[in-house]
């Protein structure tokens, strides 16, 4: 019962943030894409849950395999070798690749270890990197802490949406 309440609360939060992003995107007539690994399409689902999202959301790539990150999102193999697939450097390249591949003004990217397996002492389950940005500016954040796979994905989805919303608000205030 408690987890159901938490999940319902997070879903409501997701819809609220997605609606705010929608209003900001419509206001400036800008476009958005996603490049998702650990969130596996949850960002795209959250964004497209808002009516009218087809006006600004152009699409996304769910890139679980490194080859997809490299071939579709133009992540340099040297970046993955040097920093790992779950890294700030990789998600920044995923943002740039999504913008180029999907021809959008902005993109959001996620890469991490949702669990329950796959972690290591250096990179434990719950470690997730998020990036949001444009060709000119990318902001990042790192999540840590394992709350279970479903909660890790939900937390990453909402955090990514907040990161995008805050960037849009900041940039629109500079106009």
């Amino acid at each position: 019962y408690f987890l159901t309440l938490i999940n319902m609360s997070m879903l409501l939060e997701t819809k609220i943030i997605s609606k705010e992003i929608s209003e900001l995107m419509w206001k400036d007539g800008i476009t958005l894409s996603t490049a998702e690994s650990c969130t596996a399409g949850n960002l795209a689902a959250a964004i497209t849950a808002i009516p009218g999202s087809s006006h600004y959301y152009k699409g996304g790539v769910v890139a679980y395999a490194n080859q997809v990150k490299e071939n579709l999102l133009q992540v340099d193999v040297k970046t993955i070798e040097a920093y790992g697939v779950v890294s700030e450097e990789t998600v920044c390249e995923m943002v740039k690749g999504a913008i180029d591949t999907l021809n959008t003004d902005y993109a959001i990217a996620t890469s991490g270890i949702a669990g329950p397996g796959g972690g290591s002492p250096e990179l434990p389950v719950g470690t997730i990197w998020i990036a949001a940005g444009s060709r000119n500016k990318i902001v990042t954040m790192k999540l840590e802490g394992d709350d279970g796979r479903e909660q890790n994905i939900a937390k990453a989805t909402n955090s990514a949406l907040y990161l995008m919303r805050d960037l849009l608000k900041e940039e629109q205030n500079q106009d």
Side-chain angles (χ1 to χ4, degrees), residues 3-45:
L3 279 178
T4 302
L5 285 177
I6 291 173
N7 290 342
M8 288 174 63
S9 173
M10 289 195 88
L11 282 173
L12 178 61
E13 184 179 1
T14 303
K15 286 191 181 234
I16 291 168
I17 311 162
S18 294
K19 179 81 170 128
E20 289 181 58
I21 289 172
S22 174
E23 290 166 0
L24 293 164
M25 290 270 163
W26 273 91
K27 178 181 170 192
D28 277 4
I30 50 182
T31 56
L32 178 65
S33 58
T34 53
E36 302 182 66
S37 186
C38 65
T39 49
N42 278 291
L43 271 172

Side-chain angles (χ1 to χ4, degrees), residues 137-148:
K137 181 177 184 176
I138 297 175
V139 292
T140 62
M141 75 179 329
K142 181 182 183 183
L143 300 178
E144 297 177 290
D146 181 16
D147 298 316

Side-chain angles (χ1 to χ4, degrees), residues 1 13 18 33-34 39 55 62 67 70 73 79 81 87 100 103 105 113 116 121 140 144 148 160 164-165 170:
Y1 176 75
E13 184 179 1
S18 294
S33 58
T34 53
T39 49
H55 179 72
V62 176
Q67 295 85 355
E70 295 162 16
L73 296 173
T79 300
E81 289 171 358
S87 67
D100 287 342
N103 192 29
D105 300 306
I113 304 166
T140 62
E144 297 177 290
M164 185 75 247
R165 183 209 58 189
E170 178 187 313

Side-chain angles (χ1 to χ4, degrees), residues 97-149:
I99 288 169
D100 287 342
T101 299
L102 297 164
N103 192 29
T104 58
D105 300 306
Y106 288 86
I108 309 169
T110 61
S111 186
I113 304 166
S120 67
E122 302 81 34
L123 209 59
V125 170
T127 304
I128 298 171
W129 274 100
I130 301 167
S134 64
R135 291 184 200 285
N136 302 322
K137 181 177 184 176
I138 297 175
V139 292
T140 62
M141 75 179 329
K142 181 182 183 183
L143 300 178
E144 297 177 290
D146 181 16
D147 298 316
R149 183 177 183 80

